[in-house]
Amino acid sequence: MSAAGGTKAVVAALAANLGIAATKFVAFGLTFSSSMLAEAIHSVVDSGNQVLLLVGGRRASREPTPQHPFGYGRERYVYAFLVSIVLFSVGGLFALYEGWHKIQHPEEITSWQWVPIAVLAAAIVLESLSFRTAINETNQIRGKASWRAFIRHARVPELPVILLEDFAALIGLALALCGVGLTLLTGNGVWDGLGTAAIGVLLVGVAAVLGAETKSLLIGEAATSDQIAAIRRAIEAGDEAERIIHMRTVHLGPEELLVAVKIAVRHDDSAATIARGIDAVEERIRAAVPIAAVIYVEPDLDRTPVEAR
């Protein structure tokens, strides 16, 4: 995925959430509905998260330094992890607290009763547009992978984060609509509190999924199976290596891959021949997998017994 594609989805989500947050706060000020307050905080948290993703993308584009010779690409993972923490602590825990408070002390919605319904309906439309943008951007790179597989295995953090946030936002709006609607129909404010608590559970769950996935990226994930296969084919396409002894890959960032491979060379090859062979291998790897930004090829003699190869 290009950085521009992820940025487009993030900016679309940010614009939608800022507008939605403002209308939700107005609706809360008029009705004092806890579901509306939870949804307003949810939109503010989402807006802050999108700002974090934009900041992370900008900081990750800095040039390498002597202290950070492989660059700052993983900063995008750091900021994506911060998103999960903010979503859990600010969004999820606040909604759970507010829901519990309203269940203990329910309040009927007695004024401006049509406002929360109208605001939630408008928010669903805006969130749907943002979600559609994220889906369109994702479909350009998802290929044949399922949505679950894409979120679990994507090396680019922005789109999985936006997809989960927008999906959670739509479900949260539906929960808030149910809570407010049932409160208006029954006159019992407990439904409003239950809707708020359900939003809290939803946000905590999404935050846990995001945290687990971005933690794995922070630790360092290898190239995809398709990329590893392409690298192997590129190495084996020439006669420079008798075989691949072992190979390791790790993402330095979403669009930067480190490849370290040890190849077996013929014992009677000269140093000049081996050097030219390594250059050819590196060139084929970069052609096969363009994000292979750093490549280390180590020549060695094959000491494995013939019968064990």
Side-chain angles (χ1 to χ4, degrees), residues 143-175:
K144 296 180 180 179
S146 66
W147 290 103
R148 180 175 179 271
F150 173 78
I151 290 172
R152 287 198 61 190
H153 302 298
R155 304 302 193 265
V156 180
E158 288 84 1
L159 282 179
V161 169
I162 295 300
L163 282 170
L164 285 175
E165 279 192 348
D166 285 352
F167 178 74
L170 287 171
I171 300 299
L173 288 168
L175 292 171

Side-chain angles (χ1 to χ4, degrees), residues 100-143:
W100 174 256
H101 176 72
K102 285 294 184 179
I103 292 171
Q104 295 296 306
H105 307 282
E107 297 178 8
E108 185 179 353
I109 300 175
T110 57
S111 60
W112 299 91
Q113 295 178 334
W114 59 271
V115 170
I117 301 298
V119 168
L120 290 171
I124 288 174
V125 173
L126 291 174
E127 286 288 0
S128 297
L129 294 174
S130 173
F131 194 34
R132 185 180 68 176
T133 300
I135 289 174
N136 290 338
E137 293 297 324
T138 301
N139 282 335
Q140 296 180 19
I141 63 167
R142 184 168 61 95

Side-chain angles (χ1 to χ4, degrees), residues 166-298:
D166 285 352
F167 178 74
L170 287 171
I171 300 299
L173 288 168
L175 292 171
L177 194 60
C178 289
V180 171
L182 288 171
T183 296
L184 293 175
L185 288 173
T186 64
N188 187 349
V190 169
W191 291 110
D192 193 19
L194 289 173
T196 306
I199 293 169
V201 172
L202 171 70
L203 295 182
V204 169
V206 171
V209 172
L210 282 177
E213 295 305 321
T214 52
K215 182 197 73 170
S216 179
L217 292 170
L218 275 172
I219 293 172
E221 290 193 358
T224 64
S225 57
D226 289 343
Q227 290 170 334
I228 291 175
I231 292 171
R232 287 188 173 276
R233 288 194 299 269
I235 296 172
E236 295 167 350
D239 60 355
E240 299 87 0
E242 291 188 316
R243 74 181 187 92
I244 298 172
I245 298 174
H246 66 72
M247 181 171 65
R248 302 288 185 270
T249 64
V250 67
H251 271 270
L252 302 174
E255 288 132 11
E256 293 177 293
L257 188 66
L258 183 149
V259 179
V261 58
K262 179 181 284 191
I263 59 174
V265 298
R266 288 173 287 274
H267 71 277
D268 55 349
D269 282 347
S270 67
T273 300
I274 293 173
R276 286 194 298 271
I278 289 174
D279 290 341
V281 168
E282 291 180 351
E283 185 177 348
R284 292 199 301 270
I285 291 174
R286 288 194 174 92
V289 182
I291 68 169
V294 181
I295 302 174
Y296 296 114
V297 179
E298 179 184 353

